[in-house]
Amino acid sequence: MQSKIIIANWKAYLSIVESEELAKEIYDFAKSKKDLPKIIICPSFPALPSVGKILCGRKNIKLGAQNASWCERGAYTGEVIAPCLGELGCEFVILGHSERRKHFNEKNPDINQRVKMALQNNLTPIVCVGETREEKQAGQRDDVVRAQVIECAGDLDPEPGQKIIIAYEPVWVIGTGQAVAPEDAEHSHQVIKQALVDKYSESEYNTHFQIIYGGSVGAGNLKGFFEKDIIAGVLVGGASAKAQSLKQLIEVCL
Ligand code: PGA
């Protein structure tokens, strides 16, 4: 199978100790395997230092954060800035996740600022977009996704070698155990690709962008998504935060 990405979003499911235990288990499991897929582990902020130490040294396992501020440094009490994430060994950062949009009122323009700040600090942004159930029922899926892509990632100036990952996550399937059909995910990937090609160019798209799917991915449905060329990987929440299901996901890729 062509090399795909698995991004593990541990959300706020685990304590620091639990995150360390899971990271150790995955590290030991990965040690015994050849040809691992590219795995990006995104623990909560407080677990980043120790999980990073546990995972460092495994070539195909990278560290990511679940958010980063739009400010670089200054009087912003409680913010986590991109340079600190780099110092902790993060190479990736999830931005604009639907749970950030819903519970913390993050909007496209501020997500756009976060994306720019991440790139400025050499972090690869994983920019989440996706329609809600109401938007889908109103027939607005493609328009909503297109607008999110353009407003969050339509005016970037990536340096040579920099990548931007767009995660298509239909909000209404996240955490439900019921993913959308791979064909539906493929359709939205095409909408996202077209929006980016229109803003940049086909060759800039190919050089700098990748699109992945997220929303109730597990070992049972992973293959269907990976069979689609345009789907470069998956963003996994619930199934990535338990050792057994994360190992099963990795096994599917071997
Ligand atoms: P889920 O979460 O895999 O639990 O549906 C995905 C996500 O929110 O990124």
Side-chain angles (χ1 to χ4, degrees):
M1 193 180 285
Q2 166 207 353
S3 172
K4 302 268 187 178
I5 315 165
I6 296 180
I7 304 179
N9 175 11
W10 290 355
K11 307 194 181 190
Y13 286 131
L14 305 172
S15 70
I16 297 178
V17 171
E18 289 164 346
S19 303
E20 290 167 1
E21 283 167 0
L22 178 53
K24 275 185 204 135
E25 216 172 317
I26 294 307
Y27 185 87
D28 288 341
F29 171 78
K31 242 183 358 202
S32 63
K33 308 286 174 200
K34 274 208 272 164
D35 298 329
L36 280 183
K38 186 169 181 181
I39 302 166
I40 301 163
I41 303 284
C42 304
S44 60
F45 287 133
L48 279 170
S50 51
V51 167
K53 279 201 187 95
I54 291 163
L55 297 178
C56 75
R58 267 303 323 178
K59 194 165 125 262
N60 277 4
I61 307 184
K62 306 283 182 197
L63 192 66
Q66 296 175 17
N67 200 7
S69 181
W70 45 260
C71 60
E72 188 157 27
R73 65 177 66 222
Y76 302 102
T77 303
E79 284 296 85
V80 175
I81 55 173
C84 291
L85 297 176
E87 286 177 333
L88 288 173
C90 289
E91 294 175 49
F92 296 82
V93 59
I94 298 170
L95 294 170
H97 190 281
S98 63
E99 287 148 17
R100 301 297 315 171
R101 294 174 188 263
K102 178 172 175 207
H103 302 299
F104 305 97
N105 207 27
E106 290 185 12
K107 302 266 188 271
N108 294 337
D110 112 63
I111 294 162
N112 176 250
Q113 292 306 307
R114 292 171 199 265
V115 173
K116 287 177 179 163
M117 189 53 70
L119 284 173
Q120 222 170 289
N121 287 278
N122 272 320
L123 296 169
T124 299
I126 301 155
V127 187
C128 301
V129 299
E131 79 286 355
T132 62
R133 183 182 299 281
E134 295 69 35
E135 288 162 344
K136 179 179 156 50
Q137 283 167 347
Q140 297 166 344
R141 177 188 63 184
D142 294 356
D143 290 342
V144 167
V145 168
R146 202 178 292 115
Q148 287 177 335
V149 169
I150 290 168
E151 289 173 32
C152 296
D155 63 347
L156 309 176
D157 194 10
E159 307 265 333
Q162 286 192 321
K163 295 265 182 213
I164 298 111
I165 298 172
I166 308 288
Y168 170 62
E169 297 207 295
V171 179
W172 51 283
V173 301
I174 292 177
T176 63
Q178 277 291 315
V180 300
E183 291 66 34
D184 289 330
E186 183 182 36
H187 168 84
S188 294
H189 279 58
Q190 277 154 355
V191 169
I192 293 168
K193 177 177 175 183
Q194 195 54 53
L196 291 166
V197 168
D198 290 347
K199 273 277 155 190
Y200 298 88
S201 67
E202 183 98 29
S203 92
E204 275 204 280
Y205 168 82
N206 289 330
T207 309
H208 294 294
F209 289 91
Q210 284 179 304
I211 312 172
I212 64 172
Y213 170 77
S216 292
V217 173
N221 59 19
L222 182 65
K223 235 182 162 148
F225 294 109
F226 278 3
E227 275 164 9
K228 303 288 182 195
D229 281 346
I230 197 169
I231 302 183
V234 287
L235 176 53
V236 190
S240 78
K242 293 188 203 84
Q244 201 196 355
S245 43
L246 181 50
K247 286 185 202 170
Q248 284 169 344
L249 276 167
I250 298 168
E251 289 278 5
V252 174
C253 306
L254 300 176

